[in-house]
């Protein structure tokens, strides 16, 4: 009896550290699409892709201009946006996820802490009044993944944040962090980078899906922050290695750093690459897993290239993605859904 009592705390500790997901997804519906390379002559270093009706916008990082715009057939329309501190300049912009506005490209600039609405037509005509700017609340600064549900509600995350993601009511000046699920590692002090993730939000069904960077795990939440479902991709759990209190091992596997949604589906780009090899051009090809908004697995698109970012062109039923080229820039490819 005394032996059993001594073992009981060990059993409880083991149970807490072996929390299992609600479902393990084995990718049993794999599609091998044909990728068409787009005939783009401009030298691009694409970091983000945004599809807006008949236009495709790229955020270019290593050279200026920052924004490049193409039509639906990938014909070059123009470019704009110089780096600087002036009223019509940019520093480090991201696309703001929100309801499409006719002819307006919504972005936010994390380095200048501002929201910017770009009139694309005026920008391509080099008119100076193409941009309107407003200040970004300080508690939203640093988010690489931000959704505006209406004029007062923002949902996003920060790679070194206080929880998995936050819900902010800007009119109230409040921000609520959703705590990390118990299946993840407990942060040591204020170091939380090992639990970084990317999210998509469905404003109609009021749900949020989170895909983890260093785990092969996805989570489904309702808008109130209640965890509804946890899934694991593959039989073997992938988890990050944390060295000391403030260091991530370069031998960690990166699972997801990009997630995109459409009206009906969620698309998750998964990798098989270590952190130290992240920018090599000969990494194993990426794959894009498709789920419905209930986080039910549907299929996998096995891409023929290693990619860092993509977007879904819902109107034309295709995925647009990037791949490194030998010159150190990025080529653009398209596959049919």
């Amino acid at each position: 009896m005394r032996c059993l009592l001594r073992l009981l705390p060990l059993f409880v500790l083991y149970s807490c550290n072996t929390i299992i997901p609600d479902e393990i997804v084995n990718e049993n519906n794999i599609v091998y699409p044909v990728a068409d390379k787009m005939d783009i002559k401009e030298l691009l270093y694409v970091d983000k892709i945004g599809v807006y009706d008949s236009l495709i916008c790229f955020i270019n990082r290593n050279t200026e201009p920052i924004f490049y715009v193409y039509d639906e057939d990938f014909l070059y329309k123009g470019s704009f946006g110089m780096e600087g501190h002036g009223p019509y300049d940019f520093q480090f912009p991201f696309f703001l996820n929100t309801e499409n506005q006719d002819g307006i490209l919504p972005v936010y600039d994390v380095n200048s802490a501002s929201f910017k609405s770009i009139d694309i037509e005026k920008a391509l005509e080099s008119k100076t009044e193409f941009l309107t700017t407003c200040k970004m609340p300080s508690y939203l600064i640093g988010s690489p993944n931000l959704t505006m549900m209406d004029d007062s509600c923002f949902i996003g995350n920060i790679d070194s944040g206080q929880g998995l993601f936050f819900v902010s009511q800007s009119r109230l000046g409040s921000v609520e962090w959703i705590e990390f699920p118990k299946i993840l590692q407990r942060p040591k002090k204020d170091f939380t980078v090992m639990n970084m993730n990317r999210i998509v939000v469905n404003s109609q069904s009021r749900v949020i899906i989170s895909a983890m960077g260093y785990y092969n795990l996805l989570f489904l939440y309702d808008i109130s922050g209640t965890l509804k479902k946890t899934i694991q991709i593959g039989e073997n759990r992938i988890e990050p290695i944390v060295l000391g209190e403030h260091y991530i091992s370069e031998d960690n596997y990166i699972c997801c750093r990009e997630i995109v949604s459409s009206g009906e589906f969620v698309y998750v780009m998964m990798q098989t690459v270590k952190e130290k090899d992240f920018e090599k051009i000969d990494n194993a090809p990426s794959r894009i897993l498709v789920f419905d908004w209930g986080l039910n697995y549907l299929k996998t698109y096995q891409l023929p290239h290693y990619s860092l970012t993509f977007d879904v062109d819902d109107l034309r039923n295709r995925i647009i993605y990037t791949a490194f080229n030998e010159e150190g820039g990025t080529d653009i490819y398209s596959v049919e859904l």
Side-chain angles (χ1 to χ4, degrees):
M1 183 65 179
R2 288 180 180 176
C3 291
L4 289 175
L5 289 175
R6 291 193 188 101
L7 289 172
L8 183 58
L10 294 176
F11 174 76
V12 172
L13 180 62
Y14 176 81
S15 299
C16 292
N17 289 329
T18 56
I19 299 171
I20 61 174
D22 299 316
E23 181 182 341
I24 293 177
V25 170
N26 292 308
E27 298 172 61
N28 54 14
N29 185 14
I30 300 179
V31 178
Y32 296 88
V34 175
D36 294 320
K37 183 180 178 181
M38 300 300 101
D39 184 22
I40 291 177
K41 296 178 174 58
E42 295 72 31
L43 181 62
L44 299 177
Y45 300 88
V46 175
D47 181 52
K48 295 294 177 184
I49 302 172
V51 178
Y52 297 89
D53 296 327
S54 62
L55 296 178
I56 302 160
C57 302
F58 299 131
I59 292 180
N60 198 50
R61 290 295 186 206
N62 292 346
T63 61
E64 297 176 282
I66 294 174
F67 294 92
Y68 281 75
V69 181
Y70 298 79
D71 69 11
E72 59 192 55
D73 296 317
F74 291 94
L75 296 177
Y76 179 64
K77 300 286 289 183
S79 57
F80 60 89
M82 304 305 287
E83 187 173 348
H85 298 276
Y88 294 98
D89 294 332
F90 298 85
Q91 293 181 43
F92 205 83
F94 288 89
F95 295 121
L96 177 63
N97 299 314
T98 185
E99 297 294 329
N100 281 355
Q101 305 171 23
D102 257 353
I104 300 298
L105 177 63
V107 304
Y108 64 102
D109 198 320
V110 294
N111 284 9
S112 66
S114 58
F115 292 111
K116 299 183 177 183
S117 297
I118 301 168
D119 186 314
I120 299 179
E121 183 176 341
K122 290 181 179 179
L124 294 177
E125 293 175 355
S126 300
K127 294 182 178 180
T128 56
E129 66 275 14
F130 74 91
L131 183 68
T132 57
T133 303
C134 66
K135 189 176 181 181
M136 189 176 185
S138 59
Y139 44 81
L140 300 181
I141 297 172
S143 174
N145 192 196
L146 191 61
T147 295
M148 183 174 70
M149 289 191 64
D150 52 46
D151 290 338
S152 62
C153 181
F154 293 90
I155 300 174
N157 48 20
I158 298 174
D159 287 347
S160 56
Q162 302 170 39
L164 194 68
F165 60 89
F166 62 79
V167 179
S168 166
Q169 300 292 340
S170 62
R171 289 179 182 173
L172 302 177
S174 64
V175 58
E176 177 185 357
W177 280 95
I178 306 306
E179 66 181 17
F180 294 114
K182 291 182 172 56
I183 198 171
L184 302 181
Q185 292 184 28
R186 298 294 89 194
K188 294 182 179 180
K189 297 183 179 179
D190 59 351
F191 185 72
T192 64
V193 175
M194 68 281 194
N195 291 341
M196 74 174 188
N197 66 107
R198 295 293 180 263
I199 61 172
V200 288
V201 181
N202 189 315
S203 58
Q204 302 299 317
S205 56
R206 313 283 287 181
V207 298
I208 300 160
I209 290 179
S210 164
M212 302 304 299
Y214 292 114
Y215 303 77
N216 53 339
L217 295 172
L218 282 77
F219 303 103
L220 173 67
Y221 283 83
D222 65 21
I223 199 67
S224 67
T226 302
L227 178 59
K228 295 294 186 180
K229 189 176 183 180
T230 301
I231 68 168
Q232 175 179 306
I233 309 300
E235 295 289 342
N236 299 317
R237 179 80 55 84
I238 298 174
E239 296 186 345
I241 302 167
V242 181
L243 304 176
E245 293 184 349
H246 295 92
Y247 184 68
I248 289 283
S249 170
E250 291 187 344
D251 286 319
N252 281 328
Y253 280 98
I254 294 171
C255 294
C256 174
R257 282 198 176 171
E258 191 75 283
I259 180 171
V260 169
S261 64
S262 67
E264 295 183 61
F265 306 111
V266 174
Y267 302 82
V268 181
M269 178 175 279
M270 300 292 289
Q271 314 286 9
T272 307
V273 59
K274 290 185 177 181
E275 180 80 47
K276 62 185 178 184
D277 300 325
F278 188 60
E279 294 188 346
K280 291 183 177 180
I281 67 173
D282 58 349
N283 286 322
S286 306
R287 62 196 199 279
I288 295 175
L289 281 64
V290 186
F291 300 85
D292 64 21
W293 280 101
L295 206 50
N296 299 301
Y297 170 75
L298 300 175
K299 66 177 70 173
T300 296
Y301 289 98
Q302 177 61 67
L303 301 182
H305 304 93
Y306 172 63
S307 176
L308 293 181
T309 191
F310 75 106
D311 201 7
V312 174
D313 185 350
D314 223 10
L315 290 177
R316 282 157 284 278
N317 208 36
R318 62 186 177 182
I319 291 172
I320 301 168
Y321 70 91
T322 65
F324 287 127
N325 57 35
E326 295 291 341
E327 290 74 37
T330 46
D331 292 328
I332 309 298
Y333 291 86
S334 173
V335 299
E336 290 187 8
L337 292 172

